């Protein structure tokens, strides 16, 4: 058993993408193709390291149904180095089942992002991979950081590379430049991040007033009795995460940013970046402000449910394939909000599977949209049709992932959504019933995507010719998926099917962490819970 | 009895760094009369400044004897930790400006050496400002900073804008100084003392006397002018745009650091900061500065004007720090101003390296001149990008740490409105900082008007700019030493 208490593996998870990204930029002048390989190797190493941690960590601990309220957070691995001692800030990383699965997802999607931009990005390849890897490193930092200042540091830091990715290598659409999309994204998330910073600072100051010791550490800040301050601080944190998730009405940045980002950027954004917001809500908002979160839950769930319907409805209306997928992300994140604020073990575990499955499926769909764009030079669904006869591999795989999008049994999305609905039903039946109706809409947008793209008259060749001439590019014969693209998509599909048919290993990994969060949220010692309420709650589980 | 003894000489030891610079002024004057040589003059000035800086560092470390350091409240000047910290910052900024001027002036076909004289005299004024604790020395050192600045701003007088900026600054600065003096007169009329600390002792009885408040307000107007805080900010964009690039650097760094240090010492030592009227005035000025500075910068196409408006906004943030935490503001504001000065040196440094006094279009102040700089000069672009990120307050830069402290100050003082202002200002600020960064990364234009030489990184100006960038990144990642040094900068 490797000693995991002060392990170098955690900072390595962050450092490898950073160093690899820097190397990519530096070797660009020597060899234009080397940066891609370096990036691929870097992300593969990161993914492998997360697998090593999965293998050697001890994630069990389901034996206790109710964990004692003052039990410590069940960290499996930790790493802490003092950073700014005068403020109690340390470079403190920690890993439990939840973080591990998120880091693993990031590594896998990092490989996918590098692989899918192999041919797409031709200009300044080194700088592109620097930004891509640095944003992934920042995301891993967000998942591992346990010191509030360090968390905020990585939270803000991961925005800058994404900004450059969209602004330099993105696509313009009619009426909006890629710089517009990138700037909107950045300002939304930065402003909300600063509001979250105010919340963090108030929390630290109150904790200092009570304990006499300044500390930004999560472990120390838990259990601070905040009194009347709990609700405002919780709102500050909520705004910070709500913009990122996104929750209606803070979603304005997402359709433009997703649609106009380069493929790897979209994979990064949809697959991983919005999961950081969900992670932040579970990790920080629920345990630090349990009573306020419970009071706020109906409001949040209302917004989430509106988001589910709004996202689904608008997705159905889109003609741009990537914008359609962007709106489906908003819709799925509404389920995430439902799961978080229900807070039962079942819904939190469902959330875990949903995050993994949504990451894989939306990444795959964005990759496929990118591959289509490389061939047709358009993403306009009204122009497409009849791809089923044209491509041997592309069409069935697109159909599979669209089916996953709507939540077909056999894919992880089904498991995730239904666990969430089951878990939330006991406490919030109305919202669950409404959300179940939205599954019809999910079917609508998935099927419209399949129908418009794959079936109908086969005019793909004409469309490709026309659009290629429109962009002034040399015409090439329409090819099906190559070996690289095929293997990438099959890898993601395999992951999705594994999640759909046998999710138990993943559930086992995250169960202890989710159990702890569930206890911190439901059985918080701050609220005046009387015995009968407690008994009822326990019976419901 | 009135002989000048050895003891008196020892009493001058704390002022050794300033004396070093004054001696440099005299040496440079003599050197110019002997034989005009740009290189000699530049070298002597820089050597003199370095001697002053190292003397100061030695005194701070305790290696060099700093004489009997028992200050009295009636002294005109005092060299305490606050003064020493700010003097270090001023020395470093002045050295940076001298380095930038040297390369910039190479193209000037006029007399070059007098600029160094003016800059040295102005630096002496700045050094005296941060150690002033008397209304008389306040005014004297302020004028000593400003008057050479009039000449410096108009030094490249063949450029219309340069002459205009110098005259504008002269007229407005004179008005501000007159207002300042009137305020001093009112305060003296009410309190009867000119030294800062004795004013605070008499203040207790005279709280809220109209004459006192009027005097304090008029002094604040004069200070706000120098700091370019709204609504006394109108000169800033025009003067920044017109000034020769290294002098704009000087204005943005040395002049602001000195004035802010003096303002902080003045407000804290005289306890005028405790007056509700003064606090209200500061809050209004801070809010206006943030709004005006950020909103007006959004539509700017000139980089120098943009940086001018951004300096207005940053002064707003510092004023929030001062009004929120009162007497503890000396260390935080010194740290903020130091980092802001370094960032200005970096940003204006890039502008200076790209400009020359009289060549073709003159100064590289339009944003379009920087379009696509990344594809030709990646390292220079990295410098400018880091400076923009630092001004915007993005993590990994020291600007983030200082912005964090500003928000922390507002939260500690439970000034929620001011905290919201900082957030709003930051969000608006992102518009133009991002626009600058994006312009650097766009596709370059066909005809390149301004460029640096291929070996810019090996010249002193380039090395200095890269060193400043390294400092900003270092303190952004490992801010502990910066925080500790700043916390020592307390007024005695």
């Amino acid at each position: 058993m490797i000693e995991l208490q002060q392990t170098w593996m955690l900072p390595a998870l962050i450092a490898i993408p950073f160093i690899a990204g820097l190397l990519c930029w530096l070797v660009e002048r020597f060899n234009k193709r080397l940066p891609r390989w370096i990036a691929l190797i870097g992300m593969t190493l990161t993914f492998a390291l997360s697998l090593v941690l999965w293998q050697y960590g001890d994630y069990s601990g389901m034996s206790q149904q109710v964990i004692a309220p003052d039990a410590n957070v069940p960290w499996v691995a930790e790493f802490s180095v003092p950073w700014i001692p005068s403020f109690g800030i340390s470079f403190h990383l920690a890993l439990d089942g939840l973080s591990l699965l998120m880091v693993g997802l990031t590594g896998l999607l990092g490989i996918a992002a590098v692989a899918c931009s192999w041919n797409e990005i031709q200009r300044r390849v080194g700088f592109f991979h620097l930004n891509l890897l640095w944003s992934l490193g920042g995301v891993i930092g967000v998942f591992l950081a346990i010191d509030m200042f360090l968390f905020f540091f990585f939270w803000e830091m991961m925005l800058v590379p994404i900004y450059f990715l969209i602004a330099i290598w993105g696509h313009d659409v009619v009426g909006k430049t890629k710089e517009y999309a990138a700037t909107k994204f950045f300002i939304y998330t930065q402003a909300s991040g600063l509001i979250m910073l105010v919340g963090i600072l108030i929390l630290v100051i109150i904790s200092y007033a009570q304990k006499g010791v300044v500390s930004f550490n999560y472990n120390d800040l838990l259990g601070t009795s905040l009194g009347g301050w709990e609700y405002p601080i919780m709102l500050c944190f909520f705004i910070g995460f709500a913009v990122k998730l996104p929750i209606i009405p803070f979603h304005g940045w997402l359709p433009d940013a997703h649609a106009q980002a380069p493929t790897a950027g979209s994979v990064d954004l949809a697959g991983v970046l919005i999961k950081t917001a969900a992670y932040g809500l579970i990790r920080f908002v629920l345990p630090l402000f349990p009573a306020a979160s419970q009071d706020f839950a109906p409001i949040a769930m209302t917004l989430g449910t509106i988001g589910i319907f709004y996202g689904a409805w608008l997705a159905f209306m889109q003609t741009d394939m990537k914008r359609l997928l962007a709106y489906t992300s908003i819709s799925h994140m509404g389920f995430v909000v439902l799961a978080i604020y229900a807070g039962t073990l079942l819904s939190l575990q469902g959330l875990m599977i949903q995050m993994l499955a949504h990451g894989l499926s939306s990444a795959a769909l964005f990759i496929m949209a990118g591959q289509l764009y490389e061939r047709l030079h358009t993403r306009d669904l009204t122009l497409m049709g009849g791809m089923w006869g044209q491509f041997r591999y592309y069409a069935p795989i697109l159909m599979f992932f669209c089916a996953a999008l709507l939540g077909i049994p056999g894919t992880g999305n089904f498991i995730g959504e239904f666990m969430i609905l089951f878990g939330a039903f006991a406490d919030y039946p109305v919202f669950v019933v409404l959300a179940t109706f939205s599954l019809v809409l999910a079917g609508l947008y998935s099927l419209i995507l399949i129908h418009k793209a794959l079936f109908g008259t086969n005019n793909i060749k004409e469309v490709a010719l026309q659009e290629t001439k429109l962009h002034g590019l040399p015409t090439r014969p329409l090819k099906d998926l190559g070996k690289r693209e095929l293997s990438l998509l099959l890898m993601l599909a395999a992951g999705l099917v594994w999640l759909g048919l046998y999710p138990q290993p993943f559930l086992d990994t995250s169960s202890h962490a989710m159990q702890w969060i569930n206890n911190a949220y439901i059985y918080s010692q701050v609220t005046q819970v009387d015995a009968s309420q407690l008994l009822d709650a326990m019976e419901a589980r | 009895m009135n002989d000048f003894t050895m003891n008196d000489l020892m009493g001058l030891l704390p002022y050794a760094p300033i004396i070093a610079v004054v001696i440099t002024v005299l040496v440079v004057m003599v050197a110019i009369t002997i034989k005009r040589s740009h290189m000699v003059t530049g070298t002597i000035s820089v050597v003199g400044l370095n001697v002053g800086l190292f003397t100061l560092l030695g005194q701070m470390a305790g290696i060099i004897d700093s004489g009997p350091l028992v200050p009295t409240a009636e002294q005109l000047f005092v060299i305490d930790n606050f003064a020493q910290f700010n003097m270090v910052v001023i020395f470093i900024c002045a050295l940076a400006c001298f380095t930038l001027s040297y390369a910039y002036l190479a193209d000037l076909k006029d007399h070059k050496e007098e600029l160094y004289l003016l800059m040295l005299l102005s630096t002496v004024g700045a050094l005296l400002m941060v150690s002033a604790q008397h209304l008389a020395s306040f005014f004297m050192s302020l004028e000593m900073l400003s008057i050479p600045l009039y000449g410096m701003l108009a030094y490249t007088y063949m450029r219309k804008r340069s002459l205009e900026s110098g005259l504008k600054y002269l007229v407005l600065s004179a008005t501000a100084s007159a207002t300042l003096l009137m305020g001093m007169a009112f305060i003296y009329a009410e309190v009867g003392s000119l030294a800062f600390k004795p004013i605070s002792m008499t203040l207790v009885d005279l709280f809220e006397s109209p004459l006192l408040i009027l005097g304090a307000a008029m002094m604040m107007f004069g200070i706000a002018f120098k700091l370019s805080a709204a609504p006394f900010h109108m000169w800033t964009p025009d003067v920044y745009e017109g000034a020769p690039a290294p002098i704009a650097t000087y204005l943005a760094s040395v002049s602001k650091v000195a004035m802010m240090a003096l303002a902080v010492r003045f407000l804290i030592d005289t306890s005028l900061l405790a007056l509700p009227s003064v606090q209200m005035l500061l809050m209004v000025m801070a809010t206006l500065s943030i709004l005006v500075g950020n909103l007006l910068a959004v539509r700017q196409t000139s980089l120098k004007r943009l940086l001018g408006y951004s300096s207005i906004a940053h002064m707003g943030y510092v004023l929030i720090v001062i009004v929120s935490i009162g007497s503890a503001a000396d260390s935080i504001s010194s740290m903020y101003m130091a980092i802001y000065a370094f960032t200005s040196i970096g940003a204006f440094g890039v502008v200076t390296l790209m400009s020359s006094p009289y060549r073709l279009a003159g100064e590289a102040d339009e944003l379009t001149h920087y379009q696509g700089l990344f594809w030709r000069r990646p390292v220079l672009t990295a410098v400018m990008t880091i400076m923009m990120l630092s001004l915007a307050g993005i993590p990994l830069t020291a600007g983030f740490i200082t912005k964090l402290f500003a928000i922390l100050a507002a939260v500690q003082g439970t000034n929620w409105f001011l905290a919201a202002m900082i957030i709003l200002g930051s969000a608006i600020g992102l518009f133009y900082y991002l626009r600058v960064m994006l312009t650097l990364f766009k596709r370059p234009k066909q005809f390149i008007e301004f460029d640096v030489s291929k070996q810019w990184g090996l010249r002193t100006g380039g090395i200095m700019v890269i060193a400043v960038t390294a400092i900003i990144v270092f303190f952004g990642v490992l801010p502990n030493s910066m925080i500790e040094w700043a916390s020592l900068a307390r007024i005695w």
Side-chain angles (χ1 to χ4, degrees):
Chain A
M1 190 65 130
I2 299 179
E3 175 54 53
L4 286 175
Q5 271 322 294
Q6 183 79 355
T7 173
W8 53 266
M9 287 199 262
L10 292 185
L13 278 171
I14 305 177
I16 294 177
F18 275 104
I19 298 175
L22 203 58
L23 277 176
C24 287
W25 188 36
L26 293 173
V27 304
E28 186 185 354
R29 66 181 71 189
F30 302 126
N31 183 342
K32 217 174 129 175
R33 299 174 47 215
L34 202 51
R36 297 188 181 119
W37 285 105
I38 295 180
L40 189 63
I41 296 173
M43 286 320 294
T44 317
L45 273 178
T46 316
F47 184 57
L49 195 53
S50 70
L51 289 177
V52 166
L53 276 167
W54 196 8
Q55 181 69 25
Y56 283 108
D58 176 20
Y59 299 98
S60 59
M62 262 299 276
S63 50
Q64 304 144 284
Q65 192 63 17
V66 177
I67 300 181
D70 54 352
N72 279 329
V73 189
W75 300 123
V76 170
E78 274 185 80
F79 175 84
S80 177
V81 160
W83 186 16
I84 309 179
S86 44
F87 276 88
I89 297 174
S90 49
F91 189 88
H92 193 172
L93 305 172
L95 184 87
D96 65 357
L98 167 64
S99 331
L100 173 79
L101 287 174
M102 301 311 304
V103 171
L105 179 70
T106 312
L108 186 64
L109 289 182
I111 300 176
V114 174
C116 75
S117 35
W118 207 259
N119 282 333
E120 184 186 344
I121 303 294
Q122 296 293 336
R123 292 184 295 131
R124 290 286 160 168
V125 181
F127 191 53
F128 175 83
H129 285 99
L130 173 101
N131 283 313
L132 185 62
L133 259 56
W134 277 31
S135 75
L136 290 168
V139 166
I140 296 180
V142 165
F143 287 134
L144 291 177
I146 248 359
D147 180 292
M148 296 306 298
F149 180 78
L150 184 65
F151 174 80
F152 182 75
F153 189 89
F154 280 119
W155 183 263
E156 293 286 297
M157 204 216 77
M158 69 181 171
L159 303 178
V160 180
I162 307 265
Y163 172 77
F164 282 122
L165 279 179
I166 301 178
I168 303 179
W169 291 277
H171 314 288
D172 291 332
V173 296
V174 172
K176 291 179 216 180
T177 58
K178 50 191 194 275
E179 290 89 9
Y180 167 82
T183 311
K184 202 166 164 184
F185 160 75
F186 198 88
I187 293 186
Y188 261 88
T189 32
Q190 172 81 346
S192 60
L194 283 176
I195 297 178
M196 183 167 72
L197 179 66
V198 171
I200 295 177
L201 289 175
I202 303 176
L203 178 63
V204 168
I205 292 177
I206 293 182
S207 163
Y208 171 58
Q210 281 180 359
K211 297 186 185 156
V213 174
V214 163
S215 172
F216 274 77
N217 200 326
Y218 176 67
N219 294 326
D220 297 334
L221 291 171
L222 281 171
T224 324
S225 69
L226 295 163
W229 280 107
E230 192 173 344
Y231 205 81
I233 306 179
M234 188 275 299
L235 275 181
C236 291
F237 272 76
F238 178 77
I239 293 178
F241 293 125
V243 168
K244 222 32 189 324
L245 194 61
I247 301 181
I248 312 284
F250 304 113
H251 66 288
W253 62 273
L254 186 124
D256 294 327
H258 272 62
Q260 296 179 249
T263 313
S266 296
V267 166
D268 201 354
L269 266 175
V272 182
L273 220 72
I274 54 185
K275 311 297 186 298
T276 60
Y279 170 84
L281 278 170
I282 318 178
R283 174 73 76 210
F284 295 109
V285 174
L286 292 189
L288 286 171
F289 319 110
S293 300
Q294 281 181 4
D295 289 339
F296 189 68
I299 305 175
M301 293 177 101
T302 313
L303 291 174
T305 317
I306 297 177
I308 300 178
F309 281 97
Y310 176 80
W313 196 251
L314 258 71
F316 180 66
M317 290 175 3
Q318 295 301 319
T319 55
D320 181 338
M321 191 171 166
K322 269 179 114 173
R323 251 182 117 83
L324 190 152
L325 295 170
Y327 277 107
T328 64
S329 282
I330 299 183
S331 185
H332 283 120
M333 288 303 116
F335 269 96
V336 163
V337 176
L338 229 63
I340 294 173
Y341 278 94
T344 61
L345 181 62
L346 197 56
S347 70
L348 286 176
Q349 289 281 64
L351 172 68
M352 187 76 244
I353 302 292
Q354 167 80 334
M355 286 203 284
L356 293 173
H358 180 262
L360 292 175
S361 60
S362 65
L365 280 166
F366 276 109
I367 291 176
M368 299 198 81
Q371 289 165 344
L372 197 62
Y373 187 79
E374 274 181 57
R375 288 161 175 73
L376 299 185
H377 298 291
T378 178
R379 287 189 305 272
D380 193 340
L381 281 170
T382 56
L383 295 176
M384 298 182 210
M387 250 192 273
W388 190 268
Q390 180 69 31
F391 297 119
R392 188 166 162 206
Y393 292 117
Y394 184 85
I397 296 182
L398 181 65
M399 192 165 194
F400 169 74
F401 282 113
C402 286
L405 193 66
L406 83 90
I408 282 241
T411 61
N413 303 63
F414 170 75
I415 306 276
E417 280 175 4
F418 278 89
M419 275 176 84
I420 292 174
L421 292 173
F422 274 131
F425 187 71
D427 293 325
Y428 301 97
V430 178
F431 291 110
V432 168
V433 168
L434 286 174
T436 318
F437 279 121
S438 81
L439 293 177
V440 176
L441 290 175
L444 267 180
Y445 59 67
S446 308
L447 290 175
I448 201 82
L449 180 58
I450 300 177
H451 176 74
K452 287 229 168 93
L454 297 178
F455 297 108
T457 32
N458 185 348
N459 60 350
I460 287 296
K461 280 212 176 103
E462 287 85 27
V463 173
L465 208 62
Q466 180 188 338
E467 291 293 325
T468 320
K469 286 225 176 77
L470 210 65
H471 281 80
L473 293 158
T475 54
R476 285 186 306 196
L478 262 184
K479 281 202 283 197
D480 199 359
L481 294 175
K483 279 198 293 268
R484 163 186 63 91
E485 296 165 321
L486 195 56
S487 51
L488 171 61
L489 289 170
L490 286 178
M491 174 178 80
L492 293 172
L496 215 49
V497 170
W498 185 9
L499 273 173
L501 293 179
Y502 188 53
Q504 195 59 39
F506 302 98
L507 291 170
D508 285 337
T509 313
S510 65
S511 71
H512 198 190
M514 293 305 192
Q515 179 78 69
W516 187 90
I517 294 174
N518 171 35
N519 276 287
Y521 178 48
I522 305 286
Y523 303 116
S524 59
Q525 60 271 41
V526 189
T527 45
Q528 305 303 313
V529 180
D530 65 273
S532 59
Q533 268 186 354
L534 198 62
L535 278 173
D536 286 343
M538 282 186 71
E539 268 177 25
R541 276 158 193 81
Chain B
M1 296 243 273
N2 285 333
D3 300 329
F4 197 66
T5 63
M6 217 33 207
N7 252 345
D8 298 326
L9 218 56
M10 295 295 281
L12 279 178
L13 259 181
Y15 303 92
I18 307 176
I19 296 175
V21 183
V22 173
I23 293 178
T24 315
V25 170
L26 297 170
V27 172
V28 165
M29 255 200 286
V30 170
I32 295 177
T33 52
I34 294 177
K35 178 177 170 31
R36 265 188 191 281
S37 162
H38 186 211
M39 198 196 77
V40 168
T41 320
T43 317
I44 297 177
S45 327
V46 170
V47 165
L49 279 177
N50 274 313
V51 166
L53 175 61
F54 284 110
T55 316
L56 177 62
L57 288 173
Q59 283 183 337
M60 285 173 78
I63 304 172
I64 302 180
D65 188 12
S66 52
L69 207 67
V70 183
T72 58
E74 276 79 28
Q75 278 175 222
L76 284 180
F77 299 103
V78 65
I79 309 287
D80 56 3
N81 291 326
F82 181 72
Q84 282 178 329
F85 180 87
N86 283 297
M87 284 209 278
V88 170
V89 176
I90 290 176
F91 267 116
I92 298 177
C93 296
L95 276 167
C97 295
F98 272 84
T99 319
L100 288 173
S101 317
Y102 190 77
Y104 182 84
L105 284 179
D107 277 337
L108 195 66
K109 303 283 185 290
D110 208 335
H111 292 310
K112 305 180 189 125
E113 295 77 13
E114 276 77 357
L115 184 68
Y116 295 100
L117 261 183
L118 290 172
M119 279 176 80
L120 281 171
L121 283 169
S122 194
T123 313
V124 171
L127 291 169
L128 287 174
M129 270 174 86
V130 303
S131 28
Q133 58 165 17
H134 192 277
L135 286 179
S137 49
F138 185 137
F139 189 73
M140 186 204 86
S141 50
L142 179 61
E143 290 305 302
M144 188 145 188
L145 170 77
S146 313
I147 295 179
L149 257 181
Y150 309 149
M152 282 152 70
L153 284 169
Y155 205 74
T156 56
Y157 58 89
M158 297 298 244
R159 254 182 79 222
K160 194 168 57 151
R161 285 220 185 274
S162 177
L163 193 56
E164 170 196 338
S165 78
L167 272 173
K168 224 176 230 176
Y169 191 67
L170 165 64
V171 172
L172 293 172
S173 175
T175 317
S177 297
T179 318
L180 189 76
L181 265 181
M182 194 68 185
M184 286 185 190
F186 284 154
I187 293 184
Y188 181 62
E190 190 66 26
V191 172
S193 167
L194 282 177
F196 290 175
K197 286 198 194 278
I199 293 178
S200 90
M201 290 193 271
T202 354
L203 214 63
V204 181
D205 311 316
L206 295 170
F207 221 69
E208 299 286 358
S209 105
L211 200 59
L212 183 69
I213 297 175
L214 192 58
M218 290 181 89
M219 284 198 71
M220 285 308 304
F221 297 159
I223 294 174
F225 170 83
K226 270 285 181 304
L227 283 178
S228 63
F232 305 97
H233 64 284
M234 306 290 256
W235 60 274
T236 315
D238 295 329
V239 171
Y240 274 48
E241 186 185 16
I247 308 304
T249 320
Y250 189 89
L251 252 185
S253 55
V254 174
S255 151
K256 295 267 175 348
V257 169
M259 189 67 243
M260 185 58 83
L262 182 53
V264 166
R265 192 195 286 275
F266 169 67
L267 286 170
I268 294 180
D269 266 354
T270 58
S271 307
L272 279 174
L273 197 56
L275 290 180
S277 334
V278 172
Q279 282 177 357
M280 175 60 72
L281 185 62
L282 283 172
M283 284 202 332
V284 169
M285 286 203 297
T287 312
L288 277 178
S289 303
I290 294 176
L291 288 175
V292 162
N294 282 312
L295 285 173
L296 288 178
V298 173
R299 307 289 278 170
Q300 285 302 322
T301 54
S302 159
L303 183 58
K304 283 165 96 178
R305 284 181 85 91
L306 192 146
L307 288 170
Y309 279 116
S310 123
S311 80
I312 299 176
H314 277 274
M315 290 308 118
Y317 300 140
V318 186
L319 286 177
I320 289 183
V321 170
I322 297 176
V323 88
S324 299
I325 51 180
S327 54
D330 45 7
S331 42
I332 309 274
S333 68
S334 303
M335 182 173 74
Y336 197 106
M337 291 310 295
I339 296 299
Y340 174 72
F342 292 154
T343 315
S344 296
I345 288 176
F348 276 107
V350 172
V351 175
T352 313
L353 290 174
M354 297 262 293
S355 310
S356 82
Y358 292 142
R359 203 200 319 161
L360 217 67
E363 301 253 319
D365 62 354
E366 288 294 319
L367 265 179
T368 50
H369 298 155
Y370 295 87
Q371 190 169 321
L373 191 64
F374 176 66
W375 311 108
R376 323 192 280 278
R377 306 265 173 253
V379 182
L380 195 65
T381 312
V383 169
M384 196 54 153
T385 308
I386 291 177
M387 295 304 142
M388 287 295 127
L389 291 175
S390 180
L391 284 172
I394 307 290
L396 275 190
T397 61
F400 166 66
I401 306 287
T402 52
K403 179 153 288 181
L404 175 71
F405 271 99
I407 299 182
L408 183 62
V411 167
Q412 271 182 318
T414 63
N415 284 325
W416 307 117
F417 175 70
L418 294 178
M421 275 295 117
I422 299 183
I423 295 177
L424 181 65
S426 304
I428 303 177
L430 280 172
F431 270 109
Y432 53 89
Y433 292 129
L434 289 179
R435 192 155 51 86
V436 173
M437 281 200 283
L438 260 187
T439 315
L440 297 168
F441 288 95
K442 277 201 169 110
R443 262 179 249 271
K445 299 191 299 189
Q446 297 292 57
F447 176 62
I448 300 173
E449 291 164 359
F450 293 92
D451 205 357
V452 290
S453 69
K454 264 203 179 296
Q455 277 83 30
W456 69 272
L458 300 173
R459 308 256 174 84
T460 26
I463 297 178
M464 188 271 304
V465 159
I466 295 179
V468 163
T469 315
I471 291 177
I472 296 283
V473 173
F474 176 75
F475 283 142
V477 177
L478 295 172
N480 208 28
S481 37
M482 169 179 78
I483 298 175
E484 270 174 28
W485 288 336
S487 65
L488 295 172
R490 305 307 307 267
I491 302 174
W492 78 280

